[in-house]
Amino acid sequence: MRRREVLAGAAAALAAGPAAAAAGARLWTFERLDRIGGRPALALGAPVSMAGAVAFDGVDDALLVGEHPLAGAGAFTIEAVFRPDGGAFAQRWLHLAQDAGDAGVSGGTRMLFEIRVTDAGWYLDAFVKGPGYGRTLADPAKLHPLGAWAHVAQVCDGRRYASYVDGALQAQGEIAFRPQGPGRTSIGVRMNRVDWFRGAIRELRFTPRALTPDRFSRQRAPA
């Protein structure tokens, strides 16, 4: 019996994808919009639930969750499956922010996913900032089609910070990363409610260690 249980568990992990077995990985899905990642969520505007994803109108739709899912992590991987649908040039669609500490300031400590939208498509903008470190990863020459699902990731091992689209490296750089503290997450907009996202998000995955592309939950998003 014990052997059958072990084999069944291994099969389930493989079915869930390579990153599912990563220690401490958190998967946020959007079957319901009032609770995400096991935490209560507040909807701004009227984001629309659609077949396991959530759509944002680029005007006033967003979701707010009272947790920074990578607080305390000395390394991290953030993955997402999303679909940009055009709209404004600058769109911040995932914002993890450290709350103010005992001194009453956060120092702007945060992790971000943004896109830049052009007539020819979109390119990824990943960003991380904290005390003594800050790095933007963006390459305007690496454009991707609007209206199509994509898998994106940003990875930091504490020194190297890199971003990927569908498993392909977009940009990388050195950083002296330090763990961030507890905080909040906004999905579909910047924390101060500007730079709204137009498109859809199917899933977010947060892993407190650096994954290589072959360990991402998906190398490519579904069509």
Side-chain angles (χ1 to χ4, degrees):
M1 178 64 71
R2 177 62 180 165
R3 183 172 181 272
R4 284 199 296 272
E5 291 172 354
V6 170
L7 289 173
L14 286 172
R26 300 275 307 278
L27 176 64
W28 288 12
T29 56
F30 300 94
E31 287 80 10
R32 51 185 291 183
L33 303 185
D34 62 338
R35 196 164 188 87
I36 297 171
R39 306 277 295 193
L42 173 66
L44 303 178
V48 177
S49 181
M50 40 168 272
V54 57
F56 303 89
D57 66 2
V59 178
D60 59 3
D61 291 347
L63 296 167
L64 307 180
V65 182
E67 180 186 11
H68 186 321
L70 289 168
F76 66 85
T77 300
I78 304 173
E79 300 176 74
V81 176
F82 85 134
R83 189 193 69 212
D85 288 339
F89 173 68
Q91 301 181 36
R92 182 173 300 183
W93 53 275
L94 182 64
H95 185 151
L96 282 56
Q98 175 180 298
D99 284 337
D102 294 339
V105 295
S106 71
T109 298
R110 57 199 186 273
M111 302 174 182
L112 310 175
F113 261 137
E114 300 186 349
I115 55 170
R116 300 291 182 261
V117 176
T118 74
D119 291 340
W122 64 271
Y123 63 92
L124 188 65
D125 185 329
F127 179 75
V128 63
K129 183 181 186 298
Y133 66 88
R135 172 71 70 169
T136 300
L137 300 177
D139 186 344
K142 294 181 178 176
L143 289 170
H144 307 279
L146 293 164
W149 291 99
H151 173 280
V152 298
Q154 56 176 284
V155 181
C156 180
D157 63 8
R159 303 296 299 180
R160 177 182 177 266
Y161 181 46
S163 63
Y164 300 84
V165 174
D166 290 331
L169 181 67
Q170 304 297 287
Q172 62 182 325
E174 294 296 316
I175 192 169
F177 179 74
R178 293 169 57 190
Q180 301 190 358
R184 300 161 291 147
T185 298
S186 64
I187 304 167
V189 71
R190 186 171 173 161
M191 197 67 72
N192 62 350
R193 304 187 186 184
V194 299
D195 298 337
W196 302 84
F197 172 60
R198 180 180 172 188
I201 301 175
R202 182 171 291 172
E203 64 182 51
L204 301 168
R205 188 183 295 267
F206 308 97
T207 305
R209 64 187 182 92
L211 300 178
T212 54
D214 63 304
R215 300 295 296 169
F216 289 163
S217 58
R218 309 171 190 261
Q219 276 67 56
R220 292 191 61 84

